[in-house]
Amino acid sequence: MCQIERVRYRKCPLVEVAYQLNFPTILSIEAEMPVKFQNEIRKAFPQYQMQTEQENEITVNITGEDVNPMFRHHPVRKFHQFISEDGMWKITLAKNQLAISTLKYEQWEDMMRRFEQPLKAFSEVYDQSYFERVGLRYVDAIKRSELGLEGVEWKELIKPHLLGCLSFSQEEVEKVNLNTLRAEIVMDGISVRVSSGLGIINTDNKEPDNAFILDCDYYQVGKVDMDKIGEVAECLHQKSTEFFRKSITRKLHEAMDPQELK
């Protein structure tokens, strides 16, 4: 398989990028404040906040003609978040997860460089030498109004495997109000969880804008030793580049103003 040429889009549609490592549960991460970990990364990520999450489950018990819903509350999950001074980069630490995410993605190598110290600190503080899942998630919001493509049909910009009802022409369907596609595929041993469809983006000081949302989570499950993490991450990144380019047309590619990466 030929290597797809890497580019940087001047009109980049990325909204958020996240790189996530999952590991067997470490109870001390929830039981104690991660003081040592914070000290190791505080210069690059000086702001701290903690978030909690509780998942509720509803089950339905049918007895005769009676339908009795039952609510189950799962334990609260804590997330320690360490944020860069400009608020664009975030390290998340939970009892079974370490992740970096950004709202200002420019290049893969830059993201990995910023993650080096948090990963090293995590390994040393919590004595963890392997991971059970490695994931890389890209969320794109493609807005025709920002690309000079007003009036262009989505089928001229997005490949058929992501379009659904958006593949109809304006002559066939007057308007598509809702269109969502969810799929999970495997490409060369890498799993890809895809969610795509129409959405509305709210931007500061601007009117809400219609967009095509493409949310892709590339991941590999199975034990990965610390010294192999970089190789797996690079494979995920290559697959993300390949899948995105196979999902857009040449017209959209050129409209986003690609610049070759050396």
Side-chain angles (χ1 to χ4, degrees), residues 15 71 94-95 101 196 255:
V15 175
F71 296 87
K95 65 181 180 180
S101 59
S196 66

mmCIF file with all atom_site columns, all heavy atoms in Angstrom, residues 15 71 94-95 101 196 255:
data_model
loop_
_atom_site.group_PDB
_atom_site.id
_atom_site.type_symbol
_atom_site.label_atom_id
_atom_site.label_alt_id
_atom_site.label_comp_id
_atom_site.label_asym_id
_atom_site.label_entity_id
_atom_site.label_seq_id
_atom_site.pdbx_PDB_ins_code
_atom_site.Cartn_x
_atom_site.Cartn_y
_atom_site.Cartn_z
_atom_site.occupancy
_atom_site.B_iso_or_equiv
_atom_site.pdbx_formal_charge
_atom_site.auth_seq_id
_atom_site.auth_comp_id
_atom_site.auth_asym_id
_atom_site.auth_atom_id
_atom_site.pdbx_PDB_model_num
ATOM 1  N N   . VAL A 1 15  ? -11.704 20.198 15.160 1.00 0.00 ? 15  VAL A N   1
ATOM 2  C CA  . VAL A 1 15  ? -12.263 20.839 16.352 1.00 0.00 ? 15  VAL A CA  1
ATOM 3  C C   . VAL A 1 15  ? -11.499 20.390 17.593 1.00 0.00 ? 15  VAL A C   1
ATOM 4  O O   . VAL A 1 15  ? -11.165 21.195 18.460 1.00 0.00 ? 15  VAL A O   1
ATOM 5  C CB  . VAL A 1 15  ? -13.759 20.496 16.506 1.00 0.00 ? 15  VAL A CB  1
ATOM 6  C CG1 . VAL A 1 15  ? -14.315 21.063 17.803 1.00 0.00 ? 15  VAL A CG1 1
ATOM 7  C CG2 . VAL A 1 15  ? -14.547 21.010 15.307 1.00 0.00 ? 15  VAL A CG2 1
ATOM 8  N N   . PHE A 1 71  ? -33.890 2.325  38.420 1.00 0.00 ? 71  PHE A N   1
ATOM 9  C CA  . PHE A 1 71  ? -32.735 3.182  38.207 1.00 0.00 ? 71  PHE A CA  1
ATOM 10 C C   . PHE A 1 71  ? -31.563 2.665  39.039 1.00 0.00 ? 71  PHE A C   1
ATOM 11 O O   . PHE A 1 71  ? -31.704 2.385  40.226 1.00 0.00 ? 71  PHE A O   1
ATOM 12 C CB  . PHE A 1 71  ? -33.058 4.625  38.610 1.00 0.00 ? 71  PHE A CB  1
ATOM 13 C CG  . PHE A 1 71  ? -34.143 5.251  37.770 1.00 0.00 ? 71  PHE A CG  1
ATOM 14 C CD1 . PHE A 1 71  ? -35.479 5.102  38.112 1.00 0.00 ? 71  PHE A CD1 1
ATOM 15 C CD2 . PHE A 1 71  ? -33.825 5.976  36.639 1.00 0.00 ? 71  PHE A CD2 1
ATOM 16 C CE1 . PHE A 1 71  ? -36.470 5.669  37.342 1.00 0.00 ? 71  PHE A CE1 1
ATOM 17 C CE2 . PHE A 1 71  ? -34.811 6.547  35.865 1.00 0.00 ? 71  PHE A CE2 1
ATOM 18 C CZ  . PHE A 1 71  ? -36.142 6.396  36.212 1.00 0.00 ? 71  PHE A CZ  1
ATOM 19 N N   . ALA A 1 94  ? -7.253  9.575  35.057 1.00 0.00 ? 94  ALA A N   1
ATOM 20 C CA  . ALA A 1 94  ? -8.309  8.878  35.799 1.00 0.00 ? 94  ALA A CA  1
ATOM 21 C C   . ALA A 1 94  ? -7.754  7.543  36.262 1.00 0.00 ? 94  ALA A C   1
ATOM 22 O O   . ALA A 1 94  ? -6.621  7.177  35.951 1.00 0.00 ? 94  ALA A O   1
ATOM 23 C CB  . ALA A 1 94  ? -9.539  8.688  34.922 1.00 0.00 ? 94  ALA A CB  1
ATOM 24 N N   . LYS A 1 95  ? -8.554  6.796  37.002 1.00 0.00 ? 95  LYS A N   1
ATOM 25 C CA  . LYS A 1 95  ? -8.057  5.562  37.611 1.00 0.00 ? 95  LYS A CA  1
ATOM 26 C C   . LYS A 1 95  ? -7.627  4.508  36.592 1.00 0.00 ? 95  LYS A C   1
ATOM 27 O O   . LYS A 1 95  ? -6.881  3.595  36.918 1.00 0.00 ? 95  LYS A O   1
ATOM 28 C CB  . LYS A 1 95  ? -9.103  4.969  38.546 1.00 0.00 ? 95  LYS A CB  1
ATOM 29 C CG  . LYS A 1 95  ? -10.373 4.502  37.852 1.00 0.00 ? 95  LYS A CG  1
ATOM 30 C CD  . LYS A 1 95  ? -11.367 3.954  38.862 1.00 0.00 ? 95  LYS A CD  1
ATOM 31 C CE  . LYS A 1 95  ? -12.649 3.469  38.166 1.00 0.00 ? 95  LYS A CE  1
ATOM 32 N NZ  . LYS A 1 95  ? -13.614 2.926  39.162 1.00 0.00 ? 95  LYS A NZ  1
ATOM 33 N N   . SER A 1 101 ? -5.377  16.014 25.172 1.00 0.00 ? 101 SER A N   1
ATOM 34 C CA  . SER A 1 101 ? -6.315  16.512 24.162 1.00 0.00 ? 101 SER A CA  1
ATOM 35 C C   . SER A 1 101 ? -6.015  17.975 23.893 1.00 0.00 ? 101 SER A C   1
ATOM 36 O O   . SER A 1 101 ? -5.431  18.669 24.726 1.00 0.00 ? 101 SER A O   1
ATOM 37 C CB  . SER A 1 101 ? -7.765  16.338 24.634 1.00 0.00 ? 101 SER A CB  1
ATOM 38 O OG  . SER A 1 101 ? -7.983  17.036 25.851 1.00 0.00 ? 101 SER A OG  1
ATOM 39 N N   . SER A 1 196 ? -20.651 10.183 11.899 1.00 0.00 ? 196 SER A N   1
ATOM 40 C CA  . SER A 1 196 ? -20.642 11.307 10.967 1.00 0.00 ? 196 SER A CA  1
ATOM 41 C C   . SER A 1 196 ? -22.063 11.756 10.674 1.00 0.00 ? 196 SER A C   1
ATOM 42 O O   . SER A 1 196 ? -23.025 11.010 10.850 1.00 0.00 ? 196 SER A O   1
ATOM 43 C CB  . SER A 1 196 ? -19.939 10.919 9.664  1.00 0.00 ? 196 SER A CB  1
ATOM 44 O OG  . SER A 1 196 ? -20.677 9.930  8.972  1.00 0.00 ? 196 SER A OG  1
ATOM 45 N N   . ALA A 1 255 ? -9.909  22.785 -1.432 1.00 0.00 ? 255 ALA A N   1
ATOM 46 C CA  . ALA A 1 255 ? -10.551 23.949 -0.802 1.00 0.00 ? 255 ALA A CA  1
ATOM 47 C C   . ALA A 1 255 ? -9.975  24.238 0.577  1.00 0.00 ? 255 ALA A C   1
ATOM 48 O O   . ALA A 1 255 ? -9.980  25.395 1.034  1.00 0.00 ? 255 ALA A O   1
ATOM 49 C CB  . ALA A 1 255 ? -12.063 23.728 -0.702 1.00 0.00 ? 255 ALA A CB  1
#
